[in-house]
Amino acid sequence: MQILPIPDAYKTPCGHPGRLESFPVPGFSTATVYLPADYDANGAYPVFYLLHGGGGNEHSFFSEDGELKNLLDHLIEDRRMAPLIVVAPTYYPDGTKEKTPGMSGIYVRDFIPVLMNTVVPLTDQRYATIPDREHRAVGGFSMGGVATWYALLNGTDVFYWFMPQSGDCWVCGEKGGGDHAEETAAILADAVRGKDFRVHAVTGDQDIAYPNLNPQMLAMEKHPDVFGGRVEYSVLPGGVHDYPTIRIYIFNALPGLFRA
Ligand code: FER
């Protein structure tokens, strides 16, 4: 996929905006929810579960940079993308003090069962979702990307679409996609062999996670029986490790989700 810049108009408020709200997740603060313009409680919407970077929280994607909501509003208004719900929970348990990468790696791993068994059912109860895996995507930035790979390992019954953004798979340890690329790819392949799913991994060649994610993606190409036609990998020349850059990936890749 060619990664195009976000039009300037998409960085400003939309005339026909959606809205943000939240709901409690027991033990994990609240999840931030984006509802599209004209959200209809009797409608049927796909859901994108979006996980913040290390040290962040459920507000990171929507408030620290502010512009994600404008971007979603414009994509939907211009019909580049069908209306969808975005749910942004946090993987840090209430009261978490230590948000180092090492601890975060454990938190994101342990959060995936909470996401699948608590956050997804709460979302399906509260909102007019299409409650099947073909209409659920999970993605995240940095540690949220690490989380997304854990979701792929364990969650293909719940999710079909996976969008790891500038984060590698840590099943072989911290930054294991770089240090243990072949082993990581083999574990992922064994976990999802015979299953149907789609991965769109994105990063930039100046991103601090690139040296960890890129070897993993190259190693995954050696398992075409499992990943062929199911995994797409896009690299933005000059792309760095921050939320504004991640918004570019969301602009480009999110409209391709929920399409056969
Ligand atoms: C990576 C995956 C995640 C990486 C960094 C992170 C440097 C996250 C770090 C953090 O949240 O502090 O491959 O490479």
Side-chain angles (χ1 to χ4, degrees):
M1 181 188 75
Q2 203 199 344
I3 302 180
L4 300 173
I6 300 173
D8 282 341
Y10 280 29
K11 300 175 182 174
T12 62
C14 175
H16 199 55
R19 65 180 195 268
L20 296 176
E21 57 177 57
S22 65
F23 68 84
V25 179
F28 292 84
S29 186
T30 56
T32 302
V33 180
Y34 168 83
L35 297 176
D38 303 323
Y39 170 75
D40 176 0
N42 296 312
Y45 300 87
V47 184
F48 180 38
Y49 294 88
L50 181 59
L51 302 170
H52 59 80
N57 59 43
E58 67 275 21
H59 304 297
S60 296
F61 262 108
F62 283 100
S63 67
E64 284 176 17
D65 293 287
E67 291 179 7
L68 179 62
K69 180 172 178 297
N70 293 335
L71 173 61
L72 296 169
D73 286 344
H74 283 288
L75 281 169
I76 292 167
E77 182 180 54
D78 289 352
R79 298 181 182 278
R80 290 192 194 218
M81 176 171 87
L84 85 177
I85 297 169
V86 180
V87 175
T90 182
Y91 41 76
Y92 291 121
D94 291 342
T96 297
K97 298 233 159 38
E98 203 184 327
K99 298 185 174 180
T100 57
M103 284 305 296
S104 297
I106 293 166
Y107 287 130
V108 299
R109 181 197 67 196
D110 291 351
F111 182 68
I112 295 308
V114 178
L115 178 65
M116 296 194 299
N117 301 324
T118 303
V119 180
V120 169
L122 285 174
T123 301
D124 287 338
Q125 278 166 30
R126 273 184 100 89
Y127 300 103
T129 63
I130 307 171
D132 61 29
R133 68 190 199 106
E134 283 81 8
H135 297 92
R136 289 190 199 113
V138 55
F141 166 45
S142 191
M143 288 309 310
V146 176
T148 304
W149 291 109
Y150 279 118
L152 178 65
L153 278 171
N154 299 300
T156 48
D157 291 342
V158 176
F159 305 104
Y160 183 84
W161 306 93
F162 299 84
M163 188 163 62
Q165 306 154 348
S166 299
D168 57 317
C169 178
W170 286 14
V171 69
C172 294
E174 208 175 309
K175 298 170 190 172
D179 297 340
H180 307 280
E182 308 293 332
E183 193 186 346
T184 301
I187 291 171
L188 284 165
D190 285 346
V192 298
R193 183 168 283 107
K195 311 217 171 178
D196 199 13
F197 60 90
R198 293 288 184 277
V199 175
H200 192 162
V202 289
T203 192
D205 65 7
Q206 301 302 308
D207 191 302
I208 54 164
Y210 178 80
N212 307 320
L213 181 57
N214 194 61
Q216 177 192 323
M217 298 313 298
L218 298 182
M220 287 170 66
E221 285 176 15
K222 297 176 190 166
H223 299 269
D225 56 318
V226 180
F227 297 125
R230 297 198 169 89
V231 176
E232 191 175 353
Y233 175 45
S234 301
V235 178
L236 176 65
V240 298
H241 199 74
D242 63 16
Y243 282 97
T245 308
I246 294 298
R247 275 203 304 278
I248 301 173
Y249 305 143
I250 291 176
F251 168 72
N252 282 273
L254 190 59
L257 270 43
F258 309 118
R259 290 187 181 160

